[in-house]
Amino acid sequence: MIVSQQRVMDILNKSSDGDKVSRGCDMFLSILIVLNLVAVCLESVESFNSRYRTALFIFEAVSVSIFLLEYSLRIWSVAADHDNRASSASGRRFNYIFSFTGIIDLLAILPSVLPLIMGGVDLRWLRVLRLVRLLKISHYSSALEDLFSAIYQERRSFFAALYLMGIALFLSSSLMYLAEYDAQPEKFASIPQTMWWALITLTTVGYGDVYPITPLGQTIGAFTALLGVCTVALLTGIVASAFSNQMARREAIFEAEITSALSDGVVTDDEQCHIEELREKFKITEEHARAIFALIEEKRGH
């Protein structure tokens, strides 16, 4: 049986409700990615690596073969993606290869191929590069996309908060340099070096490796710590609010589509299909969708 490009693309992309093959593929690849991350971490333990080196090598070879097959199939099947802006099959493949997910899929393979091409590559760097495979889960989760979208929607507020953070960083660094240079010239040797202390204090980390010892420096440090709590809380609030607003916008769009479909009293198959696509795209549960349907019908009844 010949499998079409469209079917292969549906299987490899995030599964829709009722597609057991696609869901099984998603689960298999997700578990494989997680196991690869565990294997990379365990390889850094010298005693474990020396004992199970052969097993880890075989697992890596099998994993890379699967990822290479997946990457090849994605390039082949993306030609059937009619949602892609490119008009030709080669254009759609080109768009995928140079997209964020396409680059991540390639980077998931390269660390294991590079030693065959370039000898003497530092294995520690290759292990770190293999951790990029974690980002392959973005094929099945929209978490990163939602984060970037939320920040973009609130970009003015977000960058305004970062601007305030920058002002606090430079101001506290300059004042602390003036206050502590004479007492600790080796730790506060310059404003750029003092920025390390300012940054970890503003972000409320406070490693304790560099700290003020003069009364004026300690006063500046106290105000810097308080300012850091305010700026971090501001950034956190903006991101949290952006996520909340984004979900509210999606729900409003979904509700508007349902209202439009029910306007004539009959929901056609095309309208039902469109609503279902929106529900999956906006990550709205079936229970929530039914509740929205019932609420809109109740309002129409009144």
Side-chain angles (χ1 to χ4, degrees):
M1 181 180 68
I2 299 175
V3 182
S4 66
Q5 290 178 323
Q6 181 66 50
R7 181 54 182 155
V8 171
M9 187 181 69
D10 291 340
I11 292 174
L12 292 176
N13 289 337
K14 188 181 180 193
S15 62
S16 56
D17 292 340
D19 194 337
K20 295 183 179 179
V21 176
S22 180
R23 179 166 297 181
C25 180
D26 294 353
M27 288 292 297
F28 171 75
L29 290 175
S30 297
I31 292 172
L32 183 63
I33 291 167
V34 173
L35 291 176
N36 268 261
L37 298 178
V38 173
V40 171
C41 295
L42 292 176
E43 277 185 24
S44 64
V45 181
E46 193 57 40
S47 58
F48 187 92
N49 189 23
S50 59
R51 185 174 181 180
Y52 298 102
R53 189 184 304 274
T54 302
L56 290 170
F57 176 78
I58 294 173
F59 177 71
E60 173 65 13
V62 172
S63 299
V64 170
S65 300
I66 293 173
F67 290 143
L68 181 59
L69 176 62
E70 177 207 3
Y71 183 62
S72 302
L73 288 174
R74 286 187 185 278
I75 294 176
W76 174 71
S77 64
V78 78
D81 185 9
H82 299 294
D83 293 332
N84 196 301
R85 289 175 295 178
S87 57
S88 63
S90 58
R92 292 167 185 165
R93 291 183 174 123
F94 184 85
N95 285 348
Y96 162 70
I97 291 172
F98 290 96
S99 67
F100 174 76
T101 52
I103 293 173
I104 292 301
D105 288 340
L106 179 61
L107 289 177
I109 303 167
L110 281 181
S112 298
V113 178
L114 284 177
L116 303 177
I117 303 173
M118 303 167 56
V121 180
D122 192 338
L123 292 178
R124 291 175 302 173
W125 282 98
L126 292 180
R127 285 174 187 152
V128 172
L129 284 175
R130 281 162 56 193
L131 290 174
V132 173
R133 292 171 186 173
L134 174 63
L135 298 179
K136 283 176 64 65
I137 295 181
S138 59
H139 279 298
Y140 320 111
S141 172
S142 62
L144 286 176
E145 182 183 347
D146 291 343
L147 175 63
F148 294 143
S149 176
I151 292 176
Y152 180 78
Q153 293 293 336
E154 300 292 336
R155 59 190 180 279
R156 292 184 179 178
S157 300
F158 188 78
F159 284 116
L162 287 180
Y163 172 64
L164 295 176
M165 186 79 162
I167 292 175
L169 177 65
F170 278 93
L171 186 60
S172 59
S173 300
S174 302
L175 293 176
M176 187 60 72
Y177 166 71
L178 293 173
E180 291 291 320
Y181 175 75
D182 292 333
Q184 303 184 82
E186 72 286 351
K187 293 183 177 179
F188 297 91
S190 63
I191 293 177
Q193 187 172 335
T194 307
M195 282 184 181
W196 164 250
W197 168 86
L199 183 61
I200 62 173
T201 304
L202 284 169
T203 54
T204 69
V205 177
Y207 289 124
D209 55 340
V210 180
Y211 55 88
I213 59 175
T214 65
L216 178 58
Q218 290 172 349
T219 303
I220 296 171
F223 279 109
T224 302
L226 291 173
L227 190 60
V229 172
C230 295
T231 52
V232 169
L234 183 61
L235 284 168
T236 304
I238 290 172
V239 175
S241 175
F243 265 109
S244 178
N245 292 338
Q246 181 170 263
M247 292 305 298
R249 282 192 295 268
R250 289 180 175 182
E251 191 169 316
I253 294 172
F254 185 70
E255 187 174 338
E257 288 294 331
I258 296 176
T259 302
S260 176
L262 290 172
S263 60
D264 57 358
V266 179
V267 179
T268 64
D269 292 339
D270 290 340
E271 289 173 335
Q272 183 63 43
C273 183
H274 179 61
I275 290 172
E276 183 62 20
E277 288 177 355
L278 272 182
R279 186 190 68 78
E280 293 181 1
K281 180 181 178 181
F282 291 163
K283 308 296 183 297
I284 298 174
T285 63
E286 293 183 3
E287 294 78 7
H288 194 180
R290 284 196 292 267
I292 294 175
F293 258 107
L295 183 61
I296 293 174
E297 287 180 337
E298 184 180 346
K299 289 180 179 179
R300 285 174 51 83
H302 293 302

